[in-house]
Amino acid sequence: MKYFQTFLKYRYLLSNLIGRDIKVKYRRSVLGILWSVLNPLLMMVVISTVFSVLFKGGKFGETNIPFHVYYLTGATVYNFISEATSTSMMSVFTAAPLIKKVYIPKYIFPLEKCLFAFVNLLFSLIAVVIVLLASGIKFTFTMLLFPIPLLLALVFSIGLSMLLSALTVFFRDIVHIYGVFLTAWLYATPIIYPITLLEGNKKLMLIMHLNPMYYFVEFFRKVVIYNTLPNWQFTLVTVGVSLLMLVIGILVFRQKQDKFVLYM
Amino acid sequence: MSNAVEISNVSMRFNMAKEKVDSIKEYLIKFFKRQLLFEEFMALSDINITVQKGEVFGLIGLNGCGKSTLLKIISGIYKPSTGTVKVNGTIAPLIELGAGFDMDLTARENIYLNGSVLGYSKQYIEEKFDEIVDFTELHQFIDVPMKNFSSGMVARVGFAIATITKPDILIVDEILAVGDFLFQEKCEKRINELMSGGTTVIIVSHSIDQIKRLCDRVAWIEKGKIKMIGAAEEVCDLYTSAK
Ligand SMILES: Nc1ncnc2c1ncn2[C@@H]1O[C@H](COP(=O)(O)OP(=O)(O)OP(=O)(O)O)[C@@H](O)[C@H]1O
Ligand SMILES: [Mg+2]
């Protein structure tokens, strides 16, 4: 109850900080919005050119989905989690001057970066819509469920960001380690290769099912391009992974936050 | 009459690592060589102070004795290493004015930004906006980026925002020394106003005259320990004569 009141008290600060980030990114350059749509599209063109040569223009996923659609839907989710967590990581540490001067609930900083990344995600969804239309994918009502996997990915990102931002205060160099980890995570998730590639290999499939990113990416693809609903087990695991990460993040953050000022 | 602030057995230990250990590699090396001994520095040790409701309480002491640290602990910015602080009521800390000011933004934008940092709602800032600007007397500069302000002007804006609320407990750290003499008078008047409304005040100042004039009781802190607590006159006289 007390925590909730504090959160309400500082919600204007939260929206102010997000507003400032949005202003810097989108208002200062007219091309801001255009870039956040063009960037994933150009990336998609590059990757699909490379991979259509490698895989000889094969169809991807469970149905006849063109590679670039398969890639873009996966990359959109991955990019969101990657951006949210890597910008959050430094957020507490860079807020040191503020944290040492006034009382502010410190979780505001990673939370703000995650929400800002979510705003960027919404803009990059424009690219997804354009590609879906251009690729002749038919509209289905299942598509309207797209916010569910994205919101779950947001919950997961907030948890992971709280964990990472707390640890970064004590060990500055995990920023670099996490950068490498993110690249590995991209390749460990079926984003640029079809999941069917792994289906013969039991060990790899097991690892895949331990990879949280897999659930968000596949959930999003299922509703947006496969026109299927995930079964209840899949849904339960995705929800469970998100909430578990959030709880871990909150617990670690809470346990460490009083010591932050001593290390900044 | 109940207490506004109860400080019991508060100690504050800072890490004064000579070389900062902030990478995992260094940490592991030091850990295995068993060198992970932070040089600990006690900024405050075993502080006990009770401030009554409506009281004006002063803290005096030499540079680096721990006054600002104590105020930050009372305001919740720092958590004490040991001991507890009980606070009854809302706090307005005037410790570091203008926290979060973005000098590229105008004074108007910064009033909203700094207000939100202090936990004010948007609606509240809108209501009080004119009052804040009136107090700063900077009407013609309100849409100028604050990087073009003099330091006194910045301080005016910071002070005006921080004192717009009527808190139960006001915490003041040496900020009365900002601005020209007219503005200093105005600040002191504002603080007097807040005090007359029954607000509890905890104040740090190096101006012993000011402390004598404003405070009921004073604590003299020396090297992180309380040297003396008592009536303002008495403590101040001993402090100034102890050279
Ligand atoms: N974040 C910190 N990390 C390490 N040491 C600190 C930190 N903050 C304060 N100290 C140390 O604690 C001691 C007390 O500092 P503090 O700012 O409370 O002094 P002060 O009494 O307010 O002095 P002044 O009169 O100069 O304002 C100082 O020796 C300072 O070096
Ligand atoms: Mg000080």
Side-chain angles (χ1 to χ4, degrees):
Chain A
M1 198 58 223
K2 206 184 96 205
Y3 292 109
F4 191 64
Q5 274 171 351
T6 317
F7 176 72
L8 281 185
K9 184 174 172 197
Y10 285 92
R11 71 181 188 284
Y12 178 51
L13 173 63
L14 187 62
S15 66
N16 230 339
L17 292 175
I18 298 173
R20 204 158 55 134
D21 276 351
I22 291 177
K23 218 191 239 165
V24 169
K25 178 157 180 169
Y26 294 107
R27 244 177 266 169
R28 207 170 279 176
S29 80
V30 190
L31 290 175
I33 295 178
L34 194 61
W35 271 122
S36 59
V37 177
L38 272 184
N39 207 21
L41 285 181
L42 293 175
M43 211 48 211
M44 181 194 77
V45 170
V46 172
I47 303 266
S48 13
T49 313
V50 172
F51 280 79
S52 62
V53 174
L54 285 181
F55 291 110
K56 304 203 182 67
K59 299 291 187 186
F60 271 78
E62 294 165 10
T63 47
N64 281 349
I65 299 294
F67 173 76
H68 64 274
V69 178
Y70 176 87
Y71 164 76
L72 185 67
T73 43
T76 303
V77 176
Y78 168 85
N79 285 341
F80 162 64
I81 294 179
S82 155
E83 185 196 324
T85 50
S86 50
T87 53
S88 293
M89 236 182 145
M90 288 299 286
S91 65
V92 171
F93 182 68
T94 46
L98 206 53
I99 289 175
K100 284 166 136 183
K101 281 182 191 163
V102 283
Y103 172 76
I104 296 182
K106 298 167 193 54
Y107 61 78
I108 287 274
F109 300 104
L111 182 61
E112 187 267 319
K113 289 297 175 203
C114 287
L115 293 176
F116 176 56
F118 199 76
V119 172
N120 293 333
L121 167 67
L122 296 181
F123 281 116
S124 65
L125 284 181
I126 298 174
V128 176
V129 172
I130 292 173
V131 167
L132 288 179
L133 288 174
S135 311
I137 309 258
K138 290 211 180 62
F139 171 80
T140 62
F141 282 101
T142 325
M143 283 181 180
L144 296 180
L145 295 176
F146 77 92
I148 297 175
L150 298 184
L151 286 172
L152 288 172
L154 175 64
V155 170
F156 176 82
S157 301
I158 292 171
L160 184 55
S161 295
M162 289 180 78
L163 175 70
L164 290 172
S165 59
L167 295 179
T168 306
V169 174
F170 303 99
F171 305 110
R172 229 54 52 67
D173 55 353
I174 60 170
V175 174
H176 305 293
I177 299 171
Y178 188 65
V180 177
F181 178 82
L182 275 176
T183 311
W185 208 359
L186 173 68
Y187 291 110
T189 313
I191 291 170
I192 50 178
Y193 55 84
I195 179 112
T196 45
L197 205 67
L198 306 178
E199 257 159 14
N201 192 326
K202 276 220 170 91
K203 227 188 241 164
L204 285 179
M205 277 310 272
L206 179 72
I207 294 175
M208 189 59 59
H209 284 103
L210 293 174
N211 173 5
M213 186 75 79
Y214 163 76
Y215 294 94
F216 303 111
V217 165
E218 272 303 293
F219 200 136
F220 186 65
R221 282 194 185 127
K222 274 180 201 294
V223 298
V224 173
I225 58 178
Y226 299 152
N227 189 21
T228 51
L229 292 173
N231 61 26
W232 65 268
Q233 281 157 310
F234 190 94
T235 313
L236 215 62
V237 173
T238 319
V239 173
V241 164
S242 316
L243 292 180
L244 184 68
M245 191 69 245
L246 183 66
V247 170
I248 292 174
I250 291 175
L251 288 180
V252 172
F253 199 88
R254 255 184 49 172
Q255 206 230 330
K256 296 284 174 209
Q257 62 179 354
D258 292 342
K259 295 218 181 84
F260 286 170
V261 285
L262 302 180
Y263 292 85
M264 298 201 288
Chain B
M1 199 178 235
S2 61
N3 296 325
V5 179
E6 287 172 33
I7 303 166
S8 337
N9 309 313
V10 161
S11 297
M12 187 70 194
R13 199 181 303 113
F14 284 118
N15 299 335
M16 286 231 300
K18 284 272 157 56
E19 358 151 24
K20 263 202 167 145
V21 182
D22 57 10
S23 80
I24 295 174
K25 188 179 134 216
E26 281 171 52
Y27 183 86
L28 288 178
I29 292 172
K30 300 242 156 139
F31 182 83
F32 285 114
K33 287 189 182 167
R34 313 212 169 259
Q35 280 180 344
L36 206 68
L37 297 170
F38 279 113
E39 209 138 308
E40 291 187 339
F41 171 74
M42 294 296 276
L44 292 171
S45 25
D46 203 25
I47 303 287
N48 289 284
I49 295 176
T50 305
V51 181
Q52 262 135 37
K53 271 209 172 119
E55 192 174 24
V56 180
F57 194 93
L59 293 174
I60 55 174
L62 303 176
N63 290 139
C65 71
K67 304 179 296 291
S68 300
T69 305
L70 185 56
L71 293 188
K72 285 186 175 177
I73 290 175
I74 298 170
S75 323
I77 301 167
Y78 293 172
K79 272 266 154 56
S81 311
T82 55
T84 55
V85 175
K86 254 217 250 142
V87 174
N88 296 313
T90 56
I91 294 189
L94 309 189
I95 297 178
E96 305 249 15
L97 293 177
F101 273 168
D102 181 340
M103 292 302 164
D104 287 328
L105 300 180
T106 65
R108 180 191 303 276
E109 290 168 315
N110 270 309
I111 289 175
Y112 280 91
L113 186 61
N114 181 246
S116 70
V117 165
L118 296 176
Y120 302 168
S121 71
K122 185 173 186 179
Q123 192 198 348
Y124 184 78
I125 302 172
E126 270 163 3
E127 270 171 34
K128 297 282 185 178
F129 189 82
D130 291 334
E131 203 180 317
I132 293 172
V133 178
D134 286 344
F135 191 82
T136 63
E137 298 169 17
L138 296 171
H139 297 88
Q140 69 271 43
F141 296 100
I142 204 66
D143 288 309
V144 174
M146 280 185 58
K147 60 185 167 201
N148 300 331
F149 279 25
S150 72
S151 54
M153 287 159 79
V154 174
R156 282 179 179 224
V157 180
F159 185 89
I161 304 169
T163 53
I164 206 69
T165 49
K166 279 239 175 340
D168 301 323
I169 301 159
L170 185 69
I171 291 185
V172 187
D173 192 354
E174 280 181 74
I175 52 155
L176 298 186
V178 300
D180 51 42
F181 75 98
L182 280 178
F183 193 67
Q184 278 183 33
E185 275 173 18
K186 202 167 169 179
C187 290
E188 211 174 305
K189 220 178 103 203
R190 181 67 158 263
I191 292 198
N192 279 323
E193 266 168 42
L194 289 174
M195 277 164 19
S196 63
T199 300
T200 309
V201 182
I202 302 177
I203 186 168
V204 166
S205 176
H206 285 293
S207 155
I208 296 300
D209 284 343
Q210 198 175 45
I211 292 281
K212 275 188 187 168
R213 193 164 65 239
L214 293 171
C215 297
D216 306 319
R217 283 197 307 149
V218 169
W220 170 9
I221 300 179
E222 195 175 79
K223 292 187 180 145
K225 297 196 177 76
I226 291 188
K227 173 110 174 174
M228 191 178 176
I229 298 185
E233 284 282 328
E234 193 186 338
V235 178
C236 287
D237 288 344
L238 275 170
Y239 175 66
T240 39
S241 59
K243 281 264 160 69

